[in-house]
């Protein structure tokens, strides 16, 4: 039987990030090891009482709060079922058959999914020797068919940052036919003073989209809520094509409360700072090079294939992300964690290395 499926979709295969048992140290998905803010948990419990009602399709309260803190009109803010969903809708709104996207390599895998869906082309531009976006090479790769240029800042999986001056220079090279997407999934963790903020560019009317999420620093990955900052004209179109109830009532309430809990965010960043140092020390004592990270994970180069090492770590109860899925089989990405999980990581590396050496 031949199903009437769009031809270019036939070669696609689903990707499942997998389910890990909770007994394992989850250092593979860049989650917040402290969990959600207690204020968010309380807001969820209260909002649960209204679960029989359709949520506010406009997310009025959350958008108002974001609008105030970012000094951006609410019309420039789009809520999504995670920022992944905003990438999806951006692709639907902007990409078509003969268009293309430009992405850094290695980079976040969801950008390519949107291009596949629209049968658009993908131009991958290798990161430079420092694992940073090579903005000159990316600008050279843009042509008249390029519609979206994705820059994760900090980059996933490398944790590297594009600085404000570099970005400004890059933006002068972008034609009017293209939009730069600055994916700021790890924005809250960045401490550099040279860190650009997508909100500033959108406020200035630049053709740029910013993506942020409550999944990482705010610890709400399971609830699925993120937001995009963009010119009102683009937000209006996506609002017209999106599912009206793409963000649910629990997620909206939790996000509002999470924004109010500055103490939880401070603690999360503090733990992250310590944890990043610890991860770097552990992998370096086992012969790897750790890239300095501006996010909540460390990208480590072991200089040889890591598949057996990742398996051995897993058998020790520690789950990390092999670089394999990013086309980098010599690398491992390790998320920050609690002190306890950092101890487990250290012991697991020890045991795994002994096992691999014997
Ligand atoms: C985690 C992540 C996201 C998506 O997060 P959501 O859970 O969909 O909000 C987007 N971009 C990058 C680079 C990420 O690492």
């Amino acid at each position: 039987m031949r199903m009437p499926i769009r031809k270019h979709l036939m070669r696609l295969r689903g990707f499942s990030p997998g389910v890990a048992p909770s007994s394992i140290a989850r250092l593979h998905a860049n989650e917040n090891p402290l969990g959600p803010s207690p204020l968010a948990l309380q807001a969820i419990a209260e909002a649960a009482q209204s679960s029989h009602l359709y949520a506010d399709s406009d997310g009025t309260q959350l958008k108002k709060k974001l609008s105030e803190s970012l000094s951006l009109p609410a019309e420039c803010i789009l809520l999504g079922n995670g920022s992944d969903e905003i990438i999806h809708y951006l692709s639907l709104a902007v990409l078509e058959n003969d268009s293309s996207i430009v992405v850094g390599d290695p980079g976040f895998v969801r950008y390519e999914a949107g291009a596949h869906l629209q049968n658009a082309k993908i131009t991958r531009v290798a990161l430079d020797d420092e694992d940073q976006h090579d903005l000159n090479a990316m600008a050279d790769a843009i042509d008249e068919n390029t519609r979206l240029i994705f820059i994760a800042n900090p980059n996933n999986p490398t944790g590297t940052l594009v600085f404000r001056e570099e970005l400004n220079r890059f933006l002068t090279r972008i034609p009017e036919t293209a939009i730069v997407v600055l994916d700021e999934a790890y924005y809250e963790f960045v401490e550099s003073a040279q860190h650009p903020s997508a909100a500033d560019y959108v406020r200035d009317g630049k053709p740029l989209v910013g993506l942020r999420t409550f999944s990482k620093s705010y610890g709400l990955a399971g609830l699925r809520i993120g937001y995009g900052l963009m010119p009102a004209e683009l937000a209006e179109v996506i609002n017209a094509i999106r599912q009206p109830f793409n963000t649910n009532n629990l997620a909206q309430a939790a996000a509002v409360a999470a924004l109010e809990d500055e103490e939880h965010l401070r603690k999360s960043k503090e733990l992250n700072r310590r944890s990043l140092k610890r991860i770097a020390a552990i992998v370096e004592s086992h012969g790897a090079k750790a890239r300095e990270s501006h996010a909540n994970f460390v990208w480590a180069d072991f200089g040889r294939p890591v598949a057996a090492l990742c398996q051995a770590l897993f058998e020790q109860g520690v789950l990390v992300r092999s670089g394999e899925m990013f086309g980098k089989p010599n690398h491992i990405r390790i998320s920050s964690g609690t002190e306890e999980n950092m101890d487990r990581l250290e012991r697991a590396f020890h045991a795994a290395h002994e096992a691999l050496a014997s």
Side-chain angles (χ1 to χ4, degrees), residues 137-348:
M138 289 181 89
D140 291 341
I142 296 168
D143 63 24
E144 69 278 9
N145 295 321
T146 305
R147 295 290 171 272
L148 296 174
I149 301 143
F150 286 97
I151 299 174
N153 203 39
N155 190 42
N156 180 2
T158 60
T160 52
L161 194 68
V162 165
F163 296 99
R164 198 181 299 122
E165 292 302 313
E166 291 176 85
L167 181 67
N168 289 345
R169 249 177 285 133
F170 178 69
L171 291 177
T172 64
R173 294 190 60 189
I174 307 303
E176 279 181 5
T177 43
I179 301 171
V180 173
V181 183
L182 205 57
D183 183 346
E184 301 183 324
Y186 303 93
Y187 183 82
E188 299 80 13
F189 290 114
V190 181
E191 304 194 327
S192 164
Q194 313 303 320
H195 182 206
S197 162
D200 294 337
Y201 296 90
V202 175
R203 204 180 303 113
D204 288 350
K206 296 278 188 324
L208 181 141
V209 171
L211 302 177
R212 297 209 187 151
T213 181
F214 288 92
S215 297
K216 307 288 163 56
S217 61
Y218 291 104
L220 298 174
L223 280 184
R224 313 304 303 131
I225 186 141
Y227 56 100
L229 311 173
M230 63 192 77
E233 186 187 352
L234 178 57
E236 193 179 350
V237 169
I238 298 182
N239 269 320
I241 62 172
R242 72 174 168 86
Q243 299 278 340
F245 303 106
N246 63 330
T247 65
N248 67 74
N249 64 325
L250 305 187
Q252 288 180 20
V256 169
L259 287 172
E260 279 161 8
D261 196 343
E262 286 171 22
E263 178 60 12
H264 187 71
L265 183 62
R266 196 193 56 72
K267 274 194 214 149
S268 303
K269 288 164 67 172
E270 164 73 29
L271 176 64
N272 183 55
R273 210 175 295 128
R274 272 184 281 135
S275 187
L276 291 180
K277 284 201 190 115
R278 191 87 198 270
I279 297 168
I282 293 169
V283 297
E284 283 177 350
S285 75
H286 288 274
K289 274 198 245 80
R291 183 60 73 197
E292 186 193 350
S293 174
H294 294 269
N296 67 344
F297 51 84
V298 171
W299 182 238
D301 181 1
F302 286 80
R304 58 192 163 81
V306 296
L309 175 58
C310 289
Q311 182 58 32
L313 293 172
F314 181 70
E315 282 159 17
Q316 296 295 322
V318 173
L319 189 54
V320 296
R321 180 68 78 198
S322 152
E324 196 91 44
M325 70 172 287
F326 299 101
K328 296 287 170 188
N330 292 356
H331 286 74
I332 304 182
R333 191 194 69 193
I334 305 174
S335 310
S336 67
T338 55
E339 297 288 345
E340 187 200 339
N341 279 346
M342 291 299 103
D343 293 342
R344 285 177 81 178
L345 179 71
E346 188 161 0
R347 285 196 301 271

